[in-house]
Amino acid sequence: MDLYAAISLRTIISYLLILLIFRLMGKREIGELSVLDLVVFIMLGDIAVMAIEKSDKPFAEILFPMLILLVVQLLFSYISLKSSKFRKLVDGSPSLIISNGKINEKAMRQQRYNFDDLLTQLREQGIIDINEVQFAILETTGKLSVIKRDNKAASQHKETAFPLIMDGEVQEASLQHIGQNQFWLRQQLRKRGYEDIKKISLCSYKNGTLYIDQSDS
C-alpha cells in the first residue's frame, strides 16, 4: 500500500476509535474532566501519534493499547458510580477555600492553590471583593464554586478591590492606584492590631475599607 494511503487510513481509524472511546466516556465539559479522564486523554493522544507515525509496525499492535484503555476506563467508571470511596480516591474531594468570609489557607496549600488563582477565579464570576463571598469551594475539577453573602449593599457597589498584601508581600502597584504608600498601610494595620506584614496572607482595599486575612500558619 502506498505510504500516504497507509498513513491516511491509520489516521482515520485512530480518529474513529478515539471518538468512540470519548463517546463511551460520556458527555463532559473539558473543565469538568476527572483525573482519570485526563490521564486517558493524554495516553490516547500519545498512542494515536505512534499509530500514525510508526507505519512500519502492524497497525493492530499499536491500536491494542487503545482497546485496553477503553476497557480500563469503562471498568473504572463503573466502579466510580458504585463506590464513593473509589471515586474519592481517584478524583479527590472538594476543598472549602472560604468559609463565612474566612480564607482557609491550609486547604489552599494542600491543593497547591495560591491567592492569584483565587482572585482570578473570583473575578471570572464577577466578584471583586472577598467580603462578598460567604463560601467558596474548590471542586475536584479545579472549578471554584462561590456562594455570595446575602448582602444587597455588596451587589450595589462594584468598585475594584485592590490587593495591598498577598502572601505577606506588599503590592506596590495597588498602593499607587489608591494614592497611598507603605507607611500609610502599616499605620492602618497597626490600628487594627496587625504588627507583622509577613503574617498577613491577604489584605485588600475597597471603598475606604480594608479586608484583612491573617495567616493561620
Side-chain angles (χ1 to χ4, degrees):
M1 183 184 292
D2 180 74
L3 176 61
Y4 291 105
I7 292 176
S8 299
L9 181 61
R10 285 171 175 248
T11 303
I12 293 171
I13 294 176
S14 298
Y15 169 78
L16 293 175
L17 186 55
I18 292 175
L19 182 62
L20 173 63
I21 293 174
F22 284 4
R23 288 298 301 271
L24 291 174
M25 287 171 62
K27 295 182 178 179
R28 286 192 188 181
E29 294 181 9
I30 296 299
E32 295 179 352
L33 295 178
S34 68
V35 175
L36 186 61
D37 295 334
L38 187 58
V39 170
V40 171
F41 277 27
I42 293 172
M43 292 185 69
L44 282 176
D46 289 341
I47 294 172
V49 170
M50 290 179 58
I52 296 170
E53 290 183 345
K54 304 286 185 180
S55 57
D56 57 325
K57 288 190 175 183
F59 195 35
E61 180 182 319
I62 297 178
L63 290 183
F64 183 69
M66 283 191 181
L67 298 177
I68 296 297
L69 279 177
L70 173 59
V71 173
V72 171
Q73 172 66 15
L74 292 177
L75 177 61
F76 280 11
S77 296
Y78 178 78
I79 296 174
S80 294
L81 289 173
K82 298 296 182 180
S83 172
S84 59
K85 290 183 178 179
F86 181 80
R87 188 164 57 248
K88 182 178 180 180
L89 176 66
V90 174
D91 292 338
S93 303
S95 299
L96 188 62
I97 301 300
I98 299 177
S99 176
N100 291 316
K102 170 65 178 175
I103 299 173
N104 186 345
E105 296 168 49
K106 182 179 179 180
M108 290 180 65
R109 287 194 295 269
Q110 289 175 344
Q111 299 300 323
R112 310 295 189 271
Y113 188 74
N114 59 49
F115 282 99
D116 287 327
D117 296 330
L118 176 60
L119 295 177
T120 297
Q121 290 194 293
L122 288 176
R123 287 195 296 270
E124 287 174 350
Q125 300 191 43
I127 298 173
I128 54 180
D129 187 357
I130 291 181
N131 280 312
E132 299 178 37
V133 180
Q134 183 73 19
F135 298 102
I137 302 167
L138 186 63
E139 307 292 355
T140 57
T141 60
K143 180 180 178 181
L144 189 70
S145 299
V146 178
I147 300 172
K148 294 184 179 181
R149 292 182 185 275
D150 185 16
N151 187 351
K152 294 181 179 179
S155 62
Q156 293 173 351
H157 299 284
K158 293 296 181 182
E159 289 83 356
T160 301
F162 294 96
L164 305 183
I165 300 173
M166 293 176 63
D167 290 322
E169 295 184 4
V170 177
Q171 307 298 304
E172 293 288 351
S174 294
L175 279 173
Q176 292 177 8
H177 273 295
I178 65 173
Q180 299 293 349
N181 52 36
Q182 283 203 37
F183 178 74
W184 171 85
L185 177 59
R186 292 177 184 276
Q187 278 189 323
Q188 297 301 314
L189 293 174
R190 290 193 188 97
K191 288 179 182 178
R192 293 163 174 78
Y194 299 96
E195 296 291 337
D196 190 354
I197 287 180
K198 296 294 183 182
K199 293 183 179 179
I200 296 176
S201 56
L202 180 66
C203 173
S204 62
Y205 176 88
K206 177 185 174 183
N207 295 334
T209 302
L210 286 178
Y211 168 84
I212 302 171
D213 184 85
Q214 192 167 15
S215 175
D216 54 14
S217 59

